[in-house]
Every structure is written in C-alpha cells, then in structure tokens.
Amino acid sequence: MKAVSVALALGLALAPAMATAAPGHPVASAAAPLQVKGAQQFDLEAVDGRAYRIFVSVPDKPAPPAGYGVLYVLDGNAMFLTAMETVRAMERRPDVPRDLATVVVGIGYPDGVDVGVARTLDLTPPGSGSPRVTAASGGADAFLDFIEGTLKPRIGALAPVDPARQALFGHSFGGLFVLHSMLRKPDAFAVRIAASPSIWFDRGDIARRLADTLAARPPQAAPLKLLLTAGEYEQALSPLAYSRPNVAKLALLQKERAQVDSSRALATALAGRTAVDARFDEIAGEDHGTVIPAAISRAVSFLLMPQLQVPPVPTAAAYWQMTPEQRYDLRMWVRQLPDRQRIPWLTGLRDTLHDGLSKEQVQTLHDERNRMDAEQGSKPHEVNAPAH
C-alpha cells in the first residue's frame, strides 16, 4: 500500500467556530489535520494474512556511512510519536555524537482492529498464558518472523540502515516479547529495552531459559545490551491507589506479578552469568501505566548516549587527597556502570584503600560516603564489592 504522511486530526471540531470572528478581528483559517514532518504510515501484511500499521520517521540528515540505526517500537499506535520526539530530542544533545541518526519505526494495527486482542496474541510466547487473560495468546514466533522477514526488508528499502544498530522497545506484554525475541533470535537486535515486562505471564519461566541460553552464547558473538525497567508503584501501592474500591485486589495482583523483583532478578542473573550488558532501572513515582513515557526516555538514552568509560582505580594516596565532592562524583560515575564493570572496580578500590590507608582513614571515608549519600539523596547498589 502506498505510504501516506502521518496526520493527527487535532482541533477539527473547532473549525466552524474559527471560521467567524468578532468585529475588528481577522478571520482565522479553518483548522487542518496536523502533519508530522518526516513521518509516514502504511499498512503491511504478514504471510499469515494479519495486517499491521507501520509508522516510520526517517531523520532529516544524511545517513552515517554504515547506515541509520533503527528503533522498533511495539504498540506503535500509542507509543510511536512519543518515541519519535524523544529520539529527535536526544539526537540534538551536544553529548550525543553528531553523526548519530536513527529511524524510528512503530508497529501497530489498522483501524477497526481490536488492539487488546491482537497484541495479546502477537506479543506473548507459545505456551504462555494466565487464567486472568481470556484472549488468545502464544503468537510471538509468527510476529517475530513478520518483523524479521517482512518489516525489516521494507524499512531497509525506505532508508539505508545499519544492521548492527537495531533496537527493540516494548512495554508490558511488549516487554515480554522483547525478552522472547532475545531467547529465540538473540542477534536480531543489538539493543533491547523491556519496559515492565510481563514475566509473570510466561509459564515456561522465560527468565531462567534466557539466562541459560545466553550463558552458552559464543564469546566471539556480537555484544548484546538489555535494559529492563519497572515503575516503583508496579509492586507497591501508590498513594492514589488507596482511593480505589478494589485496592485489596490490586495489592494482591501486584504481589503475584512481582513486576519489580522479577525484572531486577533477571538483570542480575544475566549480568552474573552471561556476556549481555544487562541493567535494571526502577523508575520512582510511576505505576504500570504512567511509567511509559519515562521508560521510553530511559530506552532512548540507553540506545543513543555514549557508553560510559571505566575510570582508572586511583591509588590510596590519590583518593585520600581528593575533596569529598570529587570522591562523590567519582562514586556516582562508577555507580552508573554495568555490574560486570562496577563490582570489579569497587573491589579494586576497596583492596587499594585497605592496603594503603589506616583503619581510621578507611572509616572516615566510609562515614563520608554515608553522609554524602544522605545529603544528596543517593544510595549505593544492593550488590557491591564482595566481603573482604
């Protein structure tokens, strides 16, 4: 089907009122649909006949020599525009490489499709399910085949793309699909973001199988990155939840699904057993629905921001001579590193300080760290250097 520009019919109901004006004021032009510059949409059919609406935004600057990166966004009807604007804003930052440019692709459904039913089938792995969900499920393999075999070639025909810089974002069932894609076709995407993944829905324990599979990945395989996110109030009731009549039922459901704990545990397992750069971010103040824009922001930052370099471990004397502010800044830098880099660094610093400073000096630095964290509202990771 021929591609058409993405148009948002905003303000059309105001057109009759805008056609007339008070005496002495110019007549305003009638409202028109909002055109999104650089964006288009088209419908695409899978081999099984299922139809999808595809939203695409191509950057207005030339492709890098290797081609554009591509961010594929599930639930495109609801999330494409947020993801597109977040990517473009991030690309304007001075600390993002100037030649970095990314195509944004939203995967959604045509008008008239029951999106809730369709996404339940497409985004859930074979064999998954829950008594609470009555819609058909288990179609993730076919949907992944559509992305790989039909959609990716179509995007490649629209713009030059870099096969090594492909990313996938999904929320809720979409987050579960992101994990399933990593299990079934780990090299399909170099970067994945599973926001609030519905790990609870998979009867086959996708978290364990994913860790087992990726632990056996050849050392020479291309590097993979995975960000898992969840909102603070996806496992604990928010202050507003207590005004709901079914608050007890909601609390039980949150406890059963363990959305925060399961995502954190998966990131820890992958970081400890595999070569995957796995990270978990708990997003403060958000629940399962409100977390989406924040999760998209974290996803785009994870994709586009330059990789943090590991600083050298200072000598005991050099660390002691720093100001408290300099030591705090260094600790905050290291806290942003993946566990596989952060924990060895902290172990090295701990051993260096214990060997090079007195017990009194080490205790002074320990007290300083606690004080600075309290003053700045920061806190260490739960897992740090192993016991000496």
Side-chain angles (χ1 to χ4, degrees):
M1 180 176 290
K2 184 179 179 181
V4 296
S5 296
V6 174
L8 302 180
L10 300 178
L12 292 181
L14 299 178
M18 294 177 67
T20 60
H25 293 273
V27 176
S29 60
L34 173 65
Q35 303 294 322
V36 181
K37 182 181 179 182
Q40 58 178 279
Q41 68 181 41
F42 54 86
D43 291 349
L44 199 57
E45 192 172 283
V47 294
D48 60 4
R50 290 171 63 81
Y52 299 92
R53 178 151 295 168
I54 308 302
F55 308 88
V56 184
S57 172
V58 178
D60 60 359
K61 58 183 177 181
Y68 294 116
V70 185
L71 172 61
Y72 290 89
V73 180
L74 304 174
D75 289 312
N77 302 76
M79 301 187 192
F80 168 72
L81 290 176
T82 302
M84 182 193 74
E85 286 301 320
T86 305
V87 168
R88 299 294 171 247
M90 189 70 68
E91 289 176 342
R92 292 192 293 268
R93 287 177 58 99
D95 49 356
V96 171
R98 291 295 86 201
D99 61 347
L100 203 62
T102 304
V103 174
V104 183
V105 179
I107 311 172
Y109 299 95
D111 297 339
V113 172
D114 187 323
V115 173
V117 171
R119 71 185 297 273
T120 299
L121 177 61
D122 284 335
L123 301 179
T124 55
S128 62
S130 166
R132 299 179 187 272
V133 179
T134 58
S137 60
D141 283 349
F143 185 52
L144 182 57
D145 289 342
F146 161 74
I147 294 173
E148 288 295 293
T150 303
L151 178 56
K152 280 189 174 181
R154 179 64 182 271
I155 300 303
L158 286 176
V161 300
D162 182 356
R165 211 160 62 82
Q166 310 282 299
L168 178 66
F169 171 88
H171 170 263
S172 194
F173 277 166
L176 177 62
F177 178 84
V178 168
L179 299 179
H180 180 70
S181 77
M182 200 171 200
L183 179 66
R184 183 165 178 258
K185 294 187 177 182
D187 292 310
F189 303 93
V191 178
R192 289 174 170 86
I193 306 92
S196 309
S198 300
I199 296 173
W200 56 269
F201 193 79
D202 188 75
R203 297 190 184 106
D205 188 9
I206 192 171
R208 176 189 56 77
R209 289 183 292 125
L210 189 57
D212 289 346
T213 298
L214 295 177
R217 187 172 168 79
Q220 68 274 17
L224 300 176
K225 296 178 64 177
L226 172 66
L227 173 65
L228 297 113
T229 68
E232 175 188 6
Y233 294 132
E234 295 194 63
Q235 195 167 315
L237 290 173
S238 73
L240 296 177
Y242 291 93
S243 64
R244 295 174 55 170
N246 59 346
V247 63
K249 181 179 179 181
L250 175 61
L252 179 61
L253 186 64
Q254 288 184 327
K255 182 178 179 180
E256 289 176 356
R257 293 183 174 180
Q259 202 86 335
V260 175
D261 288 347
S262 62
S263 295
R264 179 184 287 113
L266 175 56
T268 301
L270 292 179
R273 295 186 51 202
T274 76
V276 176
D277 178 1
R279 189 177 97 191
F280 170 72
D281 281 359
E282 181 177 340
I283 302 176
E286 307 292 351
D287 61 31
H288 191 69
T290 64
V291 78
I292 293 172
I296 290 174
S297 178
R298 301 289 179 96
V300 173
S301 179
F302 187 66
L303 173 63
L304 297 183
M305 290 295 287
Q307 193 81 11
L308 273 177
Q309 300 300 309
V310 181
V313 177
T315 65
Y319 193 73
W320 179 256
Q321 290 169 5
M322 290 179 181
T323 67
E325 291 74 21
Q326 288 171 329
R327 285 190 287 263
Y328 179 79
D329 289 345
L330 181 59
R331 289 196 300 273
M332 293 304 102
W333 178 354
V334 172
R335 286 180 190 179
Q336 307 312 309
L337 296 172
D339 283 354
R340 73 166 55 84
Q341 296 172 330
R342 180 179 60 82
I343 293 175
W345 192 97
L346 290 172
T347 302
L349 178 66
R350 178 205 62 193
D351 294 344
T352 296
L353 299 183
H354 277 275
D355 292 342
L357 299 179
S358 67
K359 289 184 179 180
E360 291 75 14
Q361 288 174 313
V362 171
Q363 184 62 47
T364 296
L365 293 175
H366 177 77
D367 294 342
E368 175 191 284
R369 185 198 70 183
N370 292 338
R371 175 177 57 79
M372 295 290 284
D373 278 335
E375 291 176 355
Q376 302 298 326
S378 53
K379 59 182 179 180
H381 290 262
E382 293 182 5
V383 178
N384 290 295
H388 193 270

